[in-house]
Amino acid sequence: MQKRILLLTSAILMAVSLQAKVRLPHLIGDGMVLQHSTEVRLWGWAQPGKNVNVTVSWNSQTYTAKTGSDGRWLVKVSTPAASYTPLSITFNDGEATTINNVLAGEVWVCAGQSNMEMPVKGFGNCPVEGYVDEVVNARQYKGVHYVKIPSVMSMTPLEDANCEWREIGPQTIGDASATGYFFAQVINKVLDIPVGLVMANKGGTRVESWLTRENLQRYTNEPLDTMEIVKGHDWDYHRQLVWGNGTFNPILNYTVKGIIYYQGCSNVGDPGDQYSERLALLVKQWRQQFGLGEIPFYFVEIAPYFYDNIDADNGARLREQQYKASTKIPNSGLVCTNDLAYPYEFTQIHPAQKKPVGQRLAYLALNQTYGIQDIWCKSPSYKDMRIDGSDVHIHLKDDYGSINRFEDIQGFEVAGDDRVFHPAKAVHFWQPGGGYWDETIKISSPEVAHPVAVRYCFKNFQLGNLKNGAGLPLFPFRTDNW
């Protein structure tokens, strides 16, 4: 009997000890990357009314927070300059917890659907080009760490996620987001500092999947009752609200530099400007939730894909909405992918060329966020046109002073008043006018004597070949509003 009492007492003391120890979210752990040279948030749970002292290896300061009645606590800690020197952090409410191998560097969120989620090793029947070479070369990129937030649905916002930080190496590279990792490669190589990737994404999700209950209620007609959400979609990944609650909410206290985003396929077919408006709303929401100001948001145009009809334009209209969103969202940039699908990939929703996608996202960040102006980062886009008899003359923006070809320009179509588009010949053209020579692209078709509208790769799957001086492809566009 006495032995049983002693065992019971020991168990109670152990339970009390465990309850007393600081509990950290999984996101704060060994191998984490902290945003450098700033004030970052660290948080967790402990017994109500207790003081939690936080000490760090890079300075002699002690940061203290007192837990509330719910046991939550949060402190803000000044971080050192970026370096590859391992750091440590100790949390103490009477019993110490220490995390190690912490680095100070640049932290970016990798958000969106499956083309962001797609790992370096690819999906089944969806390979990533160059996978084995990346495994072989993984050791070249020191200090690149990532954490994958589990894809979880929840009707209410979750505060924690079962995850752990991993350092890129031959054994770990395969599970990292390919787009995110190739982005990190360039940032790491150019800035020579650690990079942390927080991968909070889910394949198949719509933009509405990430909006809060308040924003869905105020700006959409999406149902918010649990059963209506379930009944409203054949596939769970299309559901509104629940992925943001379960998969994104756990990271919102983390201090990050910015967000890269690849999503849109599941919103193909949305009417009017709905997608561009809701994407802008999502970016505004995330910026408010992170509370870090107008952090950069760089996103990816959906790749060419047949969407059951190569020559239809529902996919092209979603790309048009993405371009419109890039003009609405401050401190943002859009990557064009019109050249990043092979002709045989028209039924492949996950094109293999992920490295250029990540690289182009990094070019935007290096130029617009880190101020390296010599890294040209923008794709050319339509500026204006002038009709001259049976010819149409097009001007482009962001060509960096040149285009990649004068002849054999593919992807243009032209239409007259009948609104029937015909393949067009397009050539580089020097047009005299006003005492100077005006550089244009001249477009014409023998089937259209009186052109009124031009389109470029404005189909679900149509690959053009016109690029600017940076080797970046022309954004698909149309001059009509039909």
Side-chain angles (χ1 to χ4, degrees), residues 67-192:
T67 60
S69 59
D70 55 3
R72 292 184 178 90
W73 58 269
L74 182 148
V75 295
K76 293 183 178 180
V77 173
S78 297
T79 52
S83 83
Y84 299 102
T85 302
L87 308 169
S88 64
I89 308 173
T90 298
F91 305 86
N92 196 330
D93 68 342
E95 184 176 351
T97 297
T98 299
I99 60 174
N100 298 294
N101 194 30
V102 175
L103 297 179
E106 292 295 293
V107 181
W108 287 81
V109 176
C110 304
Q113 60 180 114
S114 56
N115 272 300
M116 180 62 81
E117 185 179 33
M118 188 178 188
V120 178
K121 65 185 179 184
F123 293 136
N125 291 320
C126 303
V128 169
E129 196 168 71
Y131 164 63
V132 175
D133 289 340
E134 296 304 330
V135 174
V136 171
N137 295 324
R139 295 292 186 200
Q140 294 182 9
Y141 300 93
K142 301 295 185 184
V144 177
H145 295 195
Y146 71 92
V147 58
K148 178 66 173 81
I149 310 301
S151 300
V152 173
M153 290 183 290
S154 177
M155 285 299 294
T156 57
L158 301 184
E159 295 183 324
D160 195 10
N162 187 14
C163 59
E164 63 177 358
W165 285 88
R166 306 177 78 183
E167 181 178 359
I168 286 290
Q171 288 77 38
T172 59
I173 187 176
D175 292 325
S177 158
T179 296
Y181 172 62
F182 293 131
F183 168 86
Q185 274 189 349
V186 179
I187 301 297
N188 176 250
K189 188 173 185 178
V190 174
L191 300 183
D192 191 21

Side-chain angles (χ1 to χ4, degrees), residues 336-339 360 379-380 456 466-468 471-475:
C336 180
T337 60
N338 179 254
D339 63 332
R360 291 173 189 180
S379 273
Y456 177 76
L466 188 59
K467 301 183 180 184
N468 63 10
L472 298 174
L474 174 62
F475 279 112

Side-chain angles (χ1 to χ4, degrees), residues 356-397:
V357 178
Q359 290 173 331
R360 291 173 189 180
L361 286 165
Y363 299 157
L364 283 168
L366 289 167
N367 181 295
Q368 297 183 190
T369 298
Y370 299 108
I372 305 177
Q373 299 302 308
D374 288 335
I375 295 179
W376 294 345
C377 64
K378 293 184 179 181
S379 273
S381 58
Y382 168 77
K383 181 180 180 182
D384 58 38
M385 77 173 189
R386 185 178 69 83
I387 298 173
D388 183 11
S390 60
D391 299 330
V392 180
H393 294 269
I394 295 288
H395 292 103
L396 303 178
K397 297 183 289 187

Side-chain angles (χ1 to χ4, degrees), residues 363-442:
Y363 299 157
L364 283 168
L366 289 167
N367 181 295
Q368 297 183 190
T369 298
Y370 299 108
I372 305 177
Q373 299 302 308
D374 288 335
I375 295 179
W376 294 345
C377 64
K378 293 184 179 181
S379 273
S381 58
Y382 168 77
K383 181 180 180 182
D384 58 38
M385 77 173 189
R386 185 178 69 83
I387 298 173
D388 183 11
S390 60
D391 299 330
V392 180
H393 294 269
I394 295 288
H395 292 103
L396 303 178
K397 297 183 289 187
D398 300 316
D399 63 4
Y400 296 109
S402 60
I403 58 174
N404 68 317
R405 59 181 61 235
F406 284 0
E407 304 290 342
D408 190 35
I409 299 173
Q410 302 294 322
F412 281 96
E413 295 179 301
V414 65
D417 286 328
D418 61 0
R419 300 189 176 188
V420 177
F421 281 91
H422 299 270
K425 180 181 180 181
V427 295
H428 175 270
F429 187 75
W430 290 102
Q431 176 178 273
Y436 64 93
W437 289 88
D438 184 24
E439 188 176 15
T440 71
I441 299 166
K442 185 175 72 171

